[in-house]
């Protein structure tokens, strides 16, 4: 019997239900697609965007920001300002109480007087020699040590690195006397390095912090670069010179600047190992003659001694910040 036949169902007649045909996959009935909402960006900070959208919140934010920036700037810049303006004052004006914040008469001849009376030319020449030698020895020793610990990975390399980092936790004053005795009577060789540039160069090169910075940067250099150089027949020294050093200019610049500034501003160690007045750096030389000079002449000498370090920092401040964070992330 066909599907169109009628069936008897009690008193009335009704047609039979048509058969249900199975719904093919991908039929006409489709569920509406749900559109995914883009995740809302979360702002994390001390001040929420909702607070900054109000007038009171913006005013409070800018008042606090300007106050903090101006306050910290004044704390760090005021000693430099006091030194520069103090050199332009007369001795009587420096001694008056309360002190004046602005010099009454600008006397620029005091800088020439300080240069001649304190013999700053000799002290500056000595300091440049010590800083240049310390820079060369620092790069020669610390770069090779960091390269060996990072890429060559010698036996007990981690233990050696741990001992180097442990020296950073020792106060410098604790090792001052052992270092002085070592320089006075060099072990095995028996040389006396007092009043020689070697007493500045060799201790400056033994710096665990510089080795740690360099190693962290060398760790971020892809291993594939070194393996490609090895395939071409390059040895460890050739890889260091031709591959590692060219890509490590940011961190090498940071280490160079810090090494020069450390020698330039050091006082206690040169005071011990360079007692001869003709061999003194500028920091020790100014201190040794400070009792014989007027206060304004002494401040003028301090300004002259500070200019090279300040100029180096302002010229290379971007390199310092970039190099300190260069090896923090891999990839």
């Amino acid at each position: 019997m066909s599907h169109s036949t009628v069936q008897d169902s009690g008193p009335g007649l009704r047609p039979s239900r048509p058969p249900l045909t199975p719904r093919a996959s991908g039929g006409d009935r489709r569920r509406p697609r749900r559109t995914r909402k883009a995740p809302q960006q979360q702002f994390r900070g001390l001040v929420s965007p909702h607070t900054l959208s109000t007038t009171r919140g913006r005013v409070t934010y800018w008042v606090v920001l300007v106050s903090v920036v101006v306050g910290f700037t004044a704390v760090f810049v005021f000693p430099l300002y006091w030194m520069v303006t103090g050199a332009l004052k007369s001795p009587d004006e420096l001694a008056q109480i309360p002190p004046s914040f602005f010099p009454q008469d600008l006397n620029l001849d005091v800088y020439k007087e300080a240069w001649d009376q304190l013999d700053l030319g000799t002290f500056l020449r000595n300091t440049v020699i010590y800083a240049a030698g310390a820079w060369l020895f620092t790069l020669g020793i610390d770069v090779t040590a960091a390269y060996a610990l990072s890429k060559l990975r010698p036996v007990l390399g981690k233990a050696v690195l741990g001992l180097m980092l442990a020296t950073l936790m020792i106060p410098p004053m604790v090792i001052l006397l052992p270092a002085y005795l070592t320089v006075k009577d060099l072990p095995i060789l028996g040389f006396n390095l007092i009043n020689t540039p070697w007493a500045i160069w060799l201790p400056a090169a033994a710096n665990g912090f510089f080795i740690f910075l360099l190693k962290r940067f060398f760790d971020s250099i892809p291993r594939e670069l070194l393996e490609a150089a090895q395939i071409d027949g390059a040895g460890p020294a050739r890889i260091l010179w031709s591959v590692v050093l060219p890509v490590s200019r940011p961190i090498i610049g940071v280490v160079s600047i810090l090494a020069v500034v450390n020698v330039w501003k050091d006082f206690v160690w040169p005071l011990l190992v360079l007692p001869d007045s003709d061999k003194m750096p500028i920091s020790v030389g100014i201190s040794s003659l400070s009792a014989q000079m007027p206060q304004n002449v002494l401040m003028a000498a301090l300004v002259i001694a500070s200019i090279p370090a300040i100029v180096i920092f302002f010229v290379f401040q971007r390199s310092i910040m970039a190099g300190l964070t260069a090896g923090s992330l891999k990839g």
Side-chain angles (χ1 to χ4, degrees):
M1 183 181 293
S2 63
H3 294 290
S4 60
T5 54
V6 296
Q7 296 179 352
D8 187 5
S9 58
L13 299 177
R14 64 177 181 178
S16 61
R17 295 179 180 178
L20 298 177
T21 58
R23 184 171 55 187
S25 60
D28 295 334
R29 296 182 181 180
R30 296 180 180 179
R31 295 181 180 179
R33 295 182 179 179
R34 296 180 180 178
T35 58
R36 295 183 179 180
K37 296 182 179 180
Q40 297 180 356
Q41 186 177 2
Q42 296 181 356
F43 295 91
R44 296 182 179 180
L46 296 177
V47 183
S48 65
H50 176 70
T51 304
L52 292 177
S53 62
T54 62
T55 304
R56 181 180 179 182
R58 288 195 299 269
V59 172
T60 305
Y61 171 78
W62 283 109
V63 168
V64 173
L65 178 63
V66 172
S67 301
V68 172
V69 171
V70 172
F72 275 94
T73 304
V75 169
F76 288 101
V77 175
F78 180 76
L80 182 62
Y81 167 80
W82 190 256
M83 181 177 62
V84 173
T85 57
L88 301 176
K89 299 177 182 179
S90 63
D92 296 336
E93 190 177 357
L94 277 174
Q96 72 179 9
I97 296 176
S100 60
F101 287 92
F102 302 99
Q104 297 177 358
D105 298 324
L106 297 179
N107 184 15
L108 298 179
D109 294 336
V110 68
Y111 289 100
K112 185 178 183 302
E113 184 179 355
W115 182 274
D116 296 335
Q117 291 187 10
L118 276 75
D119 196 12
L120 295 182
T122 302
F123 295 147
L124 281 174
R125 185 185 67 248
N126 295 338
T127 309
V128 169
I129 293 174
Y130 300 148
W135 170 67
L136 291 175
F137 278 94
T138 298
L139 292 185
I141 295 176
D142 294 356
V143 169
T144 53
Y147 172 70
L149 294 174
S150 175
K151 298 304 180 183
L152 302 183
R153 297 181 181 179
V155 180
L156 301 179
K158 293 184 179 180
V160 173
L161 179 62
L163 293 176
M164 290 181 181
L165 296 179
T167 60
L168 302 179
M169 304 179 185
I170 303 175
M173 292 301 173
V174 175
I175 62 175
L176 196 62
L177 180 59
Y180 175 78
L181 296 177
T182 302
V183 170
K184 187 176 181 180
D185 187 11
L186 198 63
I188 301 175
L189 300 178
F191 294 152
N192 185 4
L193 303 181
I194 301 297
N195 275 327
T196 64
W198 296 97
I200 301 295
W201 295 343
L202 295 181
N207 194 308
F209 178 67
F210 292 163
I211 295 176
F212 175 72
L213 284 181
L214 291 166
K215 180 185 180 300
R216 289 294 299 167
F217 188 90
F218 293 164
D219 290 341
S220 64
I221 298 177
R223 192 77 182 177
E224 290 76 8
L225 292 177
L226 279 66
E227 293 176 352
Q230 290 178 351
I231 294 175
D232 293 338
R238 180 68 176 179
I239 293 175
L240 174 62
W241 181 261
S242 302
V243 179
V244 176
L245 292 182
V247 300
S248 304
R249 292 178 181 176
I251 194 63
I252 291 177
V254 171
V255 171
S256 301
I257 295 170
L258 294 179
V260 171
V261 172
N262 286 343
V263 175
W264 197 276
K265 67 182 181 63
D266 197 7
F267 175 77
V268 177
W269 181 248
L271 180 65
L272 291 177
V273 299
L274 299 171
D276 193 351
S277 60
D278 295 335
K279 304 292 182 61
M280 290 180 178
I282 191 167
S283 58
V284 181
I286 293 176
S287 176
S288 63
L289 300 176
S290 60
Q292 308 171 10
M293 295 292 117
Q295 290 295 321
N296 59 339
V297 176
L298 178 61
M299 286 193 173
L302 294 176
V303 172
I304 295 174
S306 304
I307 289 176
I310 295 174
V311 170
I312 289 175
F313 173 77
F314 278 110
V315 172
F316 298 102
Q317 60 176 339
R318 290 187 177 181
S319 299
I320 294 175
M321 299 302 155
L324 289 176
T325 58
S328 59
L329 295 176
K330 293 185 178 181

